[in-house]
Amino acid sequence: MLEEIKEIYRKYGGEVVEFEKFEGNVDVGYTIEYEKRLEEVDVCFFGLASGDLNPLHFDEEVAKTTRFGGRVVHGMLTTSLVSAAVARMPGIVVLLEASFRYTKPVRIGDVVKVVGEVVEKDRRKYRLNVRCLVGEDVVAEGYVVVLLW
Amino acid sequence: MLEEIKEIYRKYGGEVVEFEKFEGNVDVGYTIEYEKRLEEVDVCFFGLASGDLNPLHFDEEVAKTTRFGGRVVHGMLTTSLVSAAVARMPGIVVLLEASFRYTKPVRIGDVVKVVGEVVEKDRRKYRLNVRCLVGEDVVAEGYVVVLLW
């Protein structure tokens, strides 16, 4: 099913980022970086998968009346890129914890860059501090804990 | 674009949950509940929107070799249902913080139920403790902070 939906996704302007593993030995100080453009199709895909059809993300008329002045991307769509970033670490990656503060709105068409650094290691569990950036602006920040098998 | 993609989503077996607002006055003790079945199409949609094509979610052969014994749903897809749950609270809902521990695997086809309760209120900011359940099992738990405009 994935290949068929990938074609549909591309047709609607989605950016397919190849899934390539990062290299190196993971230890404290190991850094990751990953970026992706969030398009309208991403907001639709995330909205349907989650069921979050909040008008703030889909209805320009409603969104215009808010402090944001227009539609914004789901916060959890932005931080879903953290899932994609850590999944690229070496080994089989299992997410154990994720914690974020959403600090600025992200607009449709923005390129979100995730940067992360391993700050703690406990056997096969790794804690990374992470930030999501649009240009120089931090739009979300927090941490994740992953298990590497 | 949403309506077209909604049709494609339905065709691939996705469950479209109507976006209906919850009622009542939000204060400490206010509870929310929301559930949705997570299908293969949801894993594909989430995987493409985020770029998380971790084989643990897409490749049965790889997933079989892990402790999970087969494919599991992305943790952040499970907790994206929390975004959908809080978006149904009265008013315009903006997510400020989200923090989760992932405690058990979720399988394709599982119905995930989100239950939440407002535990703190500070002017228009509300903190909710939330749990995601599959049957009786807690699969993720944590909290969110939302702003209601």
Side-chain angles (χ1 to χ4, degrees):
Chain A
M1 185 186 298
L2 181 63
E3 291 308 313
E4 281 174 53
I5 294 179
K6 198 182 274 185
E7 284 317 304
I8 293 163
Y9 178 71
R10 274 208 187 91
K11 190 186 120 194
Y12 281 96
E15 184 191 3
V16 176
V17 188
E18 288 310 310
F19 190 77
E20 287 171 350
K21 284 291 204 176
F22 301 140
E23 298 188 343
N25 293 314
V26 182
D27 211 330
V28 173
Y30 183 88
T31 59
I32 59 173
E33 199 174 301
Y34 167 76
E35 66 177 36
K36 184 174 185 294
R37 187 181 301 275
L38 293 178
E39 299 286 10
E40 184 164 10
V41 65
D42 295 306
V43 174
C44 293
F45 270 35
F46 184 89
L48 288 164
S50 64
D52 186 348
L53 301 177
N54 188 340
L56 196 54
H57 312 301
F58 294 98
D59 188 331
E60 191 63 29
E61 292 310 305
V62 169
K64 258 188 200 161
T65 68
T66 71
R67 197 180 306 173
F68 293 145
R71 286 195 297 163
V72 296
V73 167
H74 301 80
M76 288 197 193
L77 169 56
T78 297
T79 50
S80 75
L81 272 59
V82 176
S83 180
V86 298
R88 286 167 163 76
M89 293 172 71
I92 300 283
V93 181
V94 178
L95 185 65
L96 299 180
E97 288 181 48
S99 185
F100 303 108
R101 289 192 318 120
Y102 298 92
T103 48
K104 289 204 172 183
V106 174
R107 307 288 169 178
I108 291 168
D110 281 349
V111 174
V112 175
K113 184 201 273 187
V114 176
V115 294
E117 181 176 356
V118 176
V119 292
E120 277 178 44
K121 179 188 171 182
D122 175 13
R123 284 172 295 180
R124 286 178 304 168
K125 279 165 65 174
Y126 299 83
R127 182 184 169 116
L128 293 94
N129 285 344
V130 293
R131 283 178 304 152
C132 298
L133 301 152
V134 173
E136 301 290 304
D137 289 335
V138 176
V139 295
E141 58 184 346
Y143 70 87
V144 291
V145 178
V146 294
L147 183 67
L148 301 186
W149 275 335
Chain B
M1 186 186 296
L2 181 63
E3 290 308 313
E4 281 174 53
I5 294 179
K6 197 182 274 185
E7 284 317 303
I8 293 163
Y9 177 70
R10 275 208 186 93
K11 189 186 121 193
Y12 281 96
E15 184 193 2
V16 176
V17 187
E18 288 310 310
F19 190 77
E20 287 171 351
K21 284 290 204 176
F22 301 140
E23 298 189 344
N25 292 314
V26 182
D27 211 329
V28 172
Y30 183 88
T31 59
I32 58 173
E33 198 175 301
Y34 167 75
E35 66 176 35
K36 183 174 185 296
R37 188 181 302 274
L38 293 178
E39 299 286 10
E40 185 164 11
V41 66
D42 295 305
V43 174
C44 293
F45 270 35
F46 184 88
L48 288 164
S50 64
D52 186 349
L53 302 178
N54 188 339
L56 196 54
H57 312 301
F58 294 97
D59 188 331
E60 191 64 29
E61 291 311 304
V62 170
K64 259 188 199 162
T65 68
T66 70
R67 198 180 307 173
F68 293 146
R71 286 195 297 162
V72 296
V73 167
H74 300 80
M76 287 197 194
L77 170 55
T78 297
T79 50
S80 75
L81 272 59
V82 176
S83 180
V86 297
R88 286 167 163 76
M89 293 172 72
I92 301 283
V93 182
V94 178
L95 185 65
L96 299 179
E97 288 181 50
S99 186
F100 303 108
R101 288 191 319 119
Y102 298 91
T103 48
K104 289 204 171 181
V106 175
R107 307 289 170 178
I108 291 168
D110 281 349
V111 174
V112 175
K113 184 201 273 187
V114 176
V115 293
E117 181 177 356
V118 175
V119 292
E120 277 177 45
K121 178 187 172 182
D122 175 14
R123 283 172 295 179
R124 286 178 304 170
K125 279 166 65 174
Y126 299 83
R127 182 184 168 115
L128 294 93
N129 285 344
V130 293
R131 283 178 303 152
C132 299
L133 301 151
V134 173
E136 301 289 304
D137 289 335
V138 176
V139 295
E141 57 184 345
Y143 70 86
V144 291
V145 178
V146 294
L147 183 67
L148 301 187
W149 274 336

